[in-house]
Amino acid sequence: MLHRLLSHDLPRSRWLALALVLIVLALLVAPFALPGSKSLNVAAKILIFVVLVASYDLLLGYTGIVSFAHTMFFGIGAYGVAIASTRMGEGWAALGTGIVLALLLSLALSLAIGLFSLRVRAIFYAMVTLAVASAFQTLASQLSEFTGGEDGLTFRLPELLSPSFEPFEEEVLGVLIDGRLITYYGLLVLAVALVLLMLRIVNSPFGRVLQAIRENDFRAEAIGYRTVVYRTLGNVLAALFATLAGAMLAIWLRYNGPDTSLSFEIMLDVLLIVVIGGMGTLYGAVVGSVLFVLAQNYLQDLMRLAAGGVEGVPVLSQLVSPDRWLLWLGVLFVVCVYRFPNGIVGWLRERADRSPLRPETSA
C-alpha cells in the first residue's frame, strides 16, 4: 500500500524516512503541541513552500529547465483567489472561480512560454522567463483597479474558513477549534495530495522521458521523442502546481500583494531550497522547505538567546547580535551547499548506498 501511495519512489534511506515521518507528524500536531499564531503561521508557510518548491523541482530537477517565471504562476494563483473573492464577495463560488480562472490563465501563459521560448537553450530561456516575470510584476502593480496596486487586496473567505467561526464552545486538547485551524488542516491535506500527485507524475513513463531529456536531450530526440513537446508539458504541469500553491497562500493570508507572491526574493528562496534539499527528488522539497522556513523564522530568536549569554564580550556579542541573523542565515546555507553538493536528500541516499548493512543485489 505504501509503495503504491509513494508511486514506488521510496526514500531509500532510513534517516530520510525517519525525517519525513517526523516532519509529517510535526505538521499534524503543530497546532496542538505549539499553540500560538506564530507556530501555526510557520507550519502553514512550510506547507505552501513544499508545494511551490516541489513544483519547481519538477521543472528544474526532473526536466532540467531553469526558469525565473515560476513565482509569476505563484502570484497568478494568489491573485486569482484575491480578485475573485473581492469582486464576488465571500463564498465558495468565488473561491472556486478564482482558482479555476487562475489555472486557466497559467495554462495559457505556460503553454505560450513553452512553445515560443523552449526552442532556445539554457541561459537564453532563463532570460526570457525573467523578462516575462518582471513585466507581469510591473503589470500587477500598475493595474490597481483590479489588483489593488502596491497596497494589494484584502478579502474574506467562506464562513467555515473564517477565524470567527467556532463550532465548539470548549477547547479541544487545550486549543480552541476555529476556522483558522480548519483552514490549516485543509491546506495540509491539499499539500500532501499534491506532493503525492507529483510523485506519481515523475515516476510515470512521462516522467521518465523528462528525466531522459534532462540527461541528454539530443539522444532523447534521436530515439523519437519530441523534446519540445515534453518540455512544454513539463513547464505547464509545474506552472499549474505553482498556481495552486499561490492559491493556498492567498487562502491562508486572506491578502495578496505584489511583494507577497510576485517578489523575486521568493524565486531566489525557491532556488536555494531546491539546491539544499536536492534537485531531482521531491523529498528534497519537503526537507529543504522545513529547514529554510524554520531557520528564517526562528534563527533570530535563537541568536537573541545566545546574545544574552555572551553579553559584554567585546567581539562575540556583536557577532551573535540578532540584527545579524541574515548574515548567519547566509553562512548556514553556504555551508549546507558546500557540505551537501547533491542536496541533503542526495547525501542521505548516497550514504545509504555505501552502507555495509545494505544487502547486495545479485547480478
Side-chain angles (χ1 to χ4, degrees):
M1 179 63 181
L2 183 61
H3 284 252
R4 295 183 62 183
L5 189 64
L6 297 178
S7 301
H8 303 281
D9 188 1
L10 298 179
R12 304 204 313 266
S13 167
R14 294 179 180 178
W15 289 108
L16 176 58
L18 178 61
L20 293 173
V21 170
L22 291 177
I23 289 171
V24 173
L25 291 177
L27 291 173
L28 277 171
V29 304
F32 297 94
L34 298 170
S37 59
K38 180 175 181 177
S39 59
L40 195 62
N41 282 326
V42 170
K45 188 176 180 180
I46 289 174
L47 296 175
I48 295 166
F49 262 83
V50 165
V51 177
L52 178 61
V53 174
S55 67
Y56 189 69
D57 195 37
L58 179 65
L59 189 65
L60 176 62
Y62 286 91
T63 315
I65 299 174
V66 179
S67 171
F68 292 115
H70 208 62
T71 50
M72 178 181 71
F73 303 111
F74 185 60
I76 288 174
Y79 269 114
V81 172
I83 294 175
S85 298
T86 303
R87 296 279 175 169
M88 300 174 61
E90 60 182 277
W92 295 105
L95 197 59
T97 301
I99 294 174
V100 170
L101 291 178
L103 287 173
L104 291 176
L105 179 58
S106 293
L107 174 64
L109 285 175
S110 60
L111 191 61
I113 291 174
L115 290 176
F116 292 105
S117 303
L118 280 174
R119 297 181 184 276
V120 297
R121 309 268 181 189
I123 190 63
F124 303 103
Y125 174 76
M127 296 308 296
V128 169
T129 58
L130 179 60
V132 172
S134 300
F136 191 86
Q137 184 177 9
T138 303
L139 192 65
S141 300
Q142 293 180 350
L143 295 178
S144 56
E145 183 179 352
F146 297 98
T147 64
E150 294 294 336
D151 295 331
L153 295 172
T154 301
F155 55 92
R156 300 182 65 181
L157 293 172
E159 185 181 359
L160 179 64
L161 306 180
S162 174
S164 61
F165 178 73
E166 298 177 358
F168 307 108
E169 294 182 358
E170 298 182 357
E171 295 182 346
V172 177
L173 299 178
V175 176
L176 181 64
I177 305 298
D178 57 7
R180 193 75 166 161
L181 199 61
I182 295 174
T183 304
Y184 171 77
Y185 280 107
L187 295 182
L188 176 60
V189 172
L190 181 59
V192 171
L194 291 177
V195 170
L196 291 177
L197 180 57
M198 281 186 272
L199 272 174
R200 183 70 190 95
I201 291 173
V202 298
N203 289 287
S204 66
F206 171 77
R208 300 302 183 192
V209 175
L210 291 182
Q211 295 173 57
I213 294 173
R214 176 196 65 193
E215 296 298 327
N216 194 320
D217 57 344
F218 295 105
R219 184 174 297 175
E221 191 168 3
I223 61 178
Y225 292 110
R226 299 183 64 183
T227 56
V228 173
V229 174
Y230 279 92
R231 284 173 178 265
T232 301
L233 290 177
N235 188 49
V236 169
L237 288 173
L240 294 179
F241 282 113
T243 303
L244 292 174
M248 292 170 61
L249 176 70
I251 290 172
W252 179 253
L253 295 179
R254 303 188 306 282
Y255 164 82
N256 187 54
D259 294 334
T260 306
S261 57
L262 292 173
S263 172
F264 189 68
E265 293 179 2
I266 300 176
M267 188 70 250
L268 295 179
D269 292 344
V270 171
L271 277 168
L272 186 59
I273 295 172
V274 169
V275 173
I276 291 173
M279 289 189 294
T281 165
L282 296 183
Y283 298 122
V286 178
V287 175
S289 297
V290 170
L291 293 177
F292 179 84
V293 175
L294 288 179
Q296 193 179 49
N297 285 274
Y298 291 109
L299 181 60
Q300 189 174 19
D301 294 337
L302 292 176
M303 291 184 63
R304 188 174 291 108
L305 292 175
V310 295
E311 187 177 0
V313 180
V315 178
L316 193 58
S317 61
Q318 294 296 321
L319 287 176
V320 298
S321 171
D323 297 334
R324 290 179 172 78
W325 73 277
L326 275 175
L327 169 65
W328 288 106
L329 182 65
V331 171
L332 179 63
F333 289 133
V334 168
V335 172
C336 285
V337 173
Y338 179 78
R339 182 65 181 84
F340 312 113
N342 294 322
I344 295 175
V345 171
W347 177 75
L348 289 173
R349 285 180 166 177
E350 290 175 359
R351 184 179 178 183
D353 291 338
R354 294 195 304 264
S355 175
L357 300 178
R358 185 180 179 89
E360 295 184 358
T361 57
S362 57

